[in-house]
Amino acid sequence: ASVETVATLPIDGQRPGTSGVRKRTAVFMEPNYVENLVQAFFDTLGADALAGSTLVVGGDGRFFCAEAAQTVLRMALANGVGRCWVGVGGLIATPAVSALIRERDGGSALCGVVLTASHNPGGADKDFGLKFNVANGGPAPEPVTDAVYERTRTLREYRIAVGTPDVDLSAPGARVLSAGGYSMAVEVLDTTADYAQLAQACFDLPAIGALVKRADFRMVIDAMHGAAGPYLLAVLGALVGCPEDSLVNCTPLPDFGGVHPDPNLTYAPELVRALGLTRDGTPADDADAPRERPLPAFGAACDGDGDRNMILGERFFVTPSDSLAVIAAHAHLLPQFERQGGLRAVARSMPTGGAVDRVAAALGIPCFETPSGWKFFGNLMDAHLRVGSSVRYSPLLCGEESFGTGSDHVREKDGVWAILAWLSILAAHNRGVAEGSLVTVAQIVSSHWATYGRNFYTRHDYEEVSAEQGAALVSRLQAMASGAAPVPTDRPLAPGAPLLESVDEFEYTDPTDGSVSRNQGIRCLFHGGARAVFRLSGTGSVGATVRLYVEKFVPPPSGAPPPPPPVGTPPLREASAELLEPTQRALAPVVQAALALSQLREITGRQAPDVVT
Ligand code: VG1
Ligand code: CO
């Protein structure tokens, strides 16, 4: 075995998107594709930083993960890395990668390479990807990903060990990989133990145990055959004692059992049906029919790499934007936040609904609005480390409309954490409540609306339109945002729609380092506070995906008491009929106005979205 410097040529299009590089698996399997990308990351970190460093390597178990993990290990050795922590079978959920980097051995890891295309489907004919994480445990920030991309355009060689046998990743244990005078420790870890410890520190697991033991409580949590499964089993199964049949699809599979591992109303149809819902999030017609077993009171799912979550109640869909707001309103009940004197700030991505803003206002804490993608939250969480301890935004709760929720317990969104947060909230509301009178998810969320008002919210995705169509749509709207084209503010764009007020393009200045991120989505603002946002996805592998995010606010009834102070469980209030209107119906006029303004149908030839959440 030897260590070699192999000649290569730059490969086009290795630009990290919203979260890593994602392409068809076949593209990743082309000669040098993984090697070039990993070398570009290593070069960006620099040989000095890498020498003797610790690297975390793990993935969501999708097709080609095992091979890619071996390649990363051989390259790590050849680039001077001293130690690698790898999950058993190469498996580590994205939030657990973040936890390992931050917590294990005093936070001594330099970075992580995550082998995943996250919520994209897996398999030989589907998608693969790589995410890069840095020393704070979070996704590489833009300056790093920009540098990686620049490096992929000039790179001429990579370093790799040749002729070494594959490292045995099948069971925990210490291995050594050596070649050509280099030697690297490979520690194969069951990473669920570290994660379970973190979960115990964040939550009152015995309280969740009391909830799940109630005769009137049943739940279904679907890991979608992704990386969250082992962590759900370790925490909710082994520690909390949830019944086995409540944790489903917890075995990671290379093709996720053939499903699209994205926990939303469209791609998790079985779970959605099991909770008595249709794919638009309204109760199914047969929801009242007599059935052998009552519907579950709680349902949840995670995505391929375990960082996303969907929360459902019996016949009730919780939008991720509402989920974030409800967790914020209950944060004082979670030991993790309570211990630190309560939340200091919240943050959401710009397209995420503004429900959490209202909770932040009531709590008197800042609410940050960032571009899509988790990397922007990490800067806020670590602000006190950069700017000085007088600026402290942690504990910070943050979330995205794309089923991402989390906090500064790690630097990634965390599906299992969000599920535990919701179970904690349910447990708190049901402490001492008689069997048969379970306080439900629907009651908690509708009471939240009755208190703060409701931000009706939906996202419509038009997937795999052509790159040209996507660009045409954006440039049409950009022209309005920049003033080059007129903005039709004088007439309703659709029947029943409010008048358009303005069109702008979102630009973010990071409050901690002043860095600016431009072109982060077009906002169409309507009179009365409704808005429609257009963005192109940065996680697709082919063509373009147009995302249309639509929101409108309905205030609580006049005369309603103000939000209670953060003490105990918030009192349950009844929501008015106006607040309980089905989402798609409530938002239809604004959706139509947005379609008319953008000419989306004419430009793309699409009559209906592929995904509605
Ligand atoms: C999407 C979501 C974004 C999320 C990102 C990564 O990005 O909109 O909110 O952070 O996916 O999630 P885009 O550019 O396609 O809209 V994951 O679970 O795929 O890492
Ligand atoms: Co993900």
Side-chain angles (χ1 to χ4, degrees):
S2 57
V3 161
E4 293 183 9
T5 301
V6 180
T8 187
L9 287 172
I11 297 174
D12 266 355
Q14 294 194 315
R15 184 196 282 281
T18 314
S19 179
V21 176
R22 298 181 201 189
K23 299 285 174 202
R24 287 290 190 232
T25 308
V27 172
F28 264 93
M29 292 174 76
E30 282 167 12
N32 297 348
Y33 200 92
V34 170
E35 289 84 347
N36 277 18
L37 199 48
V38 171
Q39 190 65 51
F41 180 50
F42 285 166
D43 288 351
T44 301
L45 297 169
D48 288 348
L50 278 178
S53 69
T54 299
L55 169 70
V56 177
V57 183
D60 60 9
R62 70 180 58 221
F63 183 85
F64 192 55
C65 263
E67 294 86 338
Q70 297 292 341
T71 303
V72 175
L73 291 177
R74 290 190 173 99
M75 293 185 66
L77 172 74
N79 280 277
V81 171
R83 179 169 65 164
C84 272
W85 292 331
V86 195
V88 177
L91 272 168
I92 315 182
T94 294
V97 168
S98 190
L100 273 184
I101 294 176
R102 297 179 61 74
E103 306 286 342
R104 194 175 177 84
D105 192 15
S108 56
L110 175 71
C111 60
V113 175
V114 197
L115 315 156
T116 178
S118 206
H119 64 283
N120 298 25
D125 57 345
K126 295 293 194 307
D127 289 355
F128 193 78
L130 288 186
K131 292 182 177 181
F132 301 117
N133 285 43
V134 293
N136 77 343
E142 275 190 341
V144 175
T145 54
D146 288 348
V148 169
Y149 177 58
E150 283 312 316
R151 186 66 192 138
T152 66
R153 287 151 44 100
T154 56
L155 182 104
R156 296 280 160 172
E157 56 188 37
Y158 60 82
R159 289 179 61 74
I160 192 163
V162 176
T164 57
D166 279 358
V167 180
D168 175 13
L169 303 179
S170 64
R175 324 262 189 268
V176 174
L177 182 64
S178 44
Y182 289 74
S183 174
M184 179 176 82
V186 180
E187 294 173 25
V188 183
L189 307 169
D190 172 4
T191 64
T192 59
D194 290 77
Y195 186 85
Q197 218 178 346
L198 187 62
Q200 266 171 317
C202 292
F203 299 102
D204 180 354
L205 297 184
I208 296 177
L211 172 75
V212 302
K213 278 179 195 73
R214 292 175 65 107
D216 57 358
F217 184 83
R218 188 163 75 83
M219 68 176 183
V220 186
I221 297 180
D222 188 343
M224 299 188 95
H225 292 299
Y231 304 88
L232 288 168
L233 293 173
V235 179
L236 281 172
L239 287 180
V240 174
C242 296
E244 252 174 49
D245 66 353
S246 62
L247 306 174
V248 302
N249 299 329
C250 285
T251 310
L253 293 177
D255 66 347
F256 305 106
V259 305
H260 190 151
D262 192 359
N264 63 37
L265 291 170
T266 302
Y267 293 135
E270 276 175 38
L271 180 71
V272 167
R273 257 197 313 277
L275 272 289
L277 287 164
T278 62
R279 63 181 279 178
D280 68 0
T282 54
D285 285 344
D286 66 350
D288 288 322
R291 54 185 76 238
E292 279 167 38
R293 276 225 279 190
L295 291 170
F298 182 74
C302 296
D303 75 333
D305 65 331
D307 57 357
R308 295 186 177 203
N309 74 92
M310 174 167 69
I311 301 295
L312 304 172
E314 180 187 346
R315 287 175 233 184
F316 197 88
F317 166 61
V318 185
T319 69
S321 304
D322 279 338
S323 169
L324 178 64
V326 171
I327 296 174
H330 291 80
H332 59 283
L333 300 172
L334 304 179
Q336 172 193 350
F337 298 129
E338 193 254 358
R339 218 176 23 239
Q340 299 180 72
L343 286 179
R344 286 213 197 196
V346 295
R348 62 166 172 81
S349 65
M350 180 276 283
T352 301
V356 74
D357 303 33
R358 302 176 196 284
V359 180
L363 292 174
I365 58 176
C367 175
F368 295 98
E369 186 178 37
T370 59
S372 295
W374 211 258
K375 51 193 169 207
F376 300 96
F377 296 134
N379 260 9
L380 297 172
M381 294 174 185
D382 294 328
H384 57 289
L385 303 176
R386 297 158 164 271
V387 182
S389 52
S390 58
V391 183
R392 193 175 186 106
Y393 303 128
S394 74
L396 181 105
L397 171 74
C398 46
E400 297 192 89
E401 55 65 42
S402 54
F403 299 83
T405 320
S407 78
D408 52 0
H409 68 293
V410 291
R411 294 291 180 276
E412 290 278 2
K413 53 192 170 3
D414 187 342
V416 176
W417 184 91
I419 291 169
L420 292 170
W422 265 93
L423 288 173
S424 305
I425 292 168
L426 276 170
H429 275 280
N430 283 294
R431 189 174 304 133
V433 170
E435 292 274 348
S437 308
L438 189 85
V439 174
T440 64
V441 171
Q443 275 174 292
I444 292 170
V445 179
S446 51
S447 169
H448 186 94
W449 296 335
T451 305
Y452 295 90
R454 177 173 178 189
N455 289 73
F456 283 90
Y457 189 85
T458 190
R459 189 185 86 214
H460 291 197
D461 288 342
Y462 294 78
E463 296 185 334
E464 293 190 15
V465 306
S466 74
E468 293 73 31
Q469 290 166 344
L473 183 113
V474 167
S475 53
R476 176 185 161 83
L477 293 164
Q478 271 173 337
M480 294 185 205
S482 68
V487 180
T489 53
D490 53 343
R491 56 182 191 279
L493 294 164
L499 284 180
L500 185 64
E501 197 171 85
S502 62
V503 176
D504 69 10
E505 189 162 25
F506 182 58
E507 177 178 301
Y508 178 65
T509 304
D510 186 303
T512 74
D513 64 12
S515 61
V516 177
S517 303
R518 300 202 163 79
N519 310 117
Q520 297 296 331
I522 313 268
R523 300 188 287 199
C524 311
L525 307 173
F526 294 85
H527 285 273
R531 66 171 191 164
V533 174
F534 288 91
R535 254 188 89 243
L536 295 184
S537 159
T539 59
S541 52
V542 282
T545 290
V546 178
R547 303 199 195 280
L548 164 57
Y549 312 83
V550 179
E551 177 176 16
K552 120 181 166 182
F553 179 63
V554 173
S558 60
V567 184
T569 47
L572 292 173
R573 299 174 180 173
E574 293 274 336
S576 63
E578 195 196 359
L579 288 170
L580 295 174
E581 202 185 343
T583 305
Q584 297 305 322
R585 194 163 79 200
L587 292 173
V590 188
V591 170
Q592 293 308 322
L595 293 175
L597 181 74
S598 63
Q599 300 274 290
L600 183 146
R601 287 179 174 154
E602 293 76 1
I603 291 172
T604 66
R606 295 289 181 83
Q607 293 314 303
D610 302 278
V611 173
V612 173
T613 62

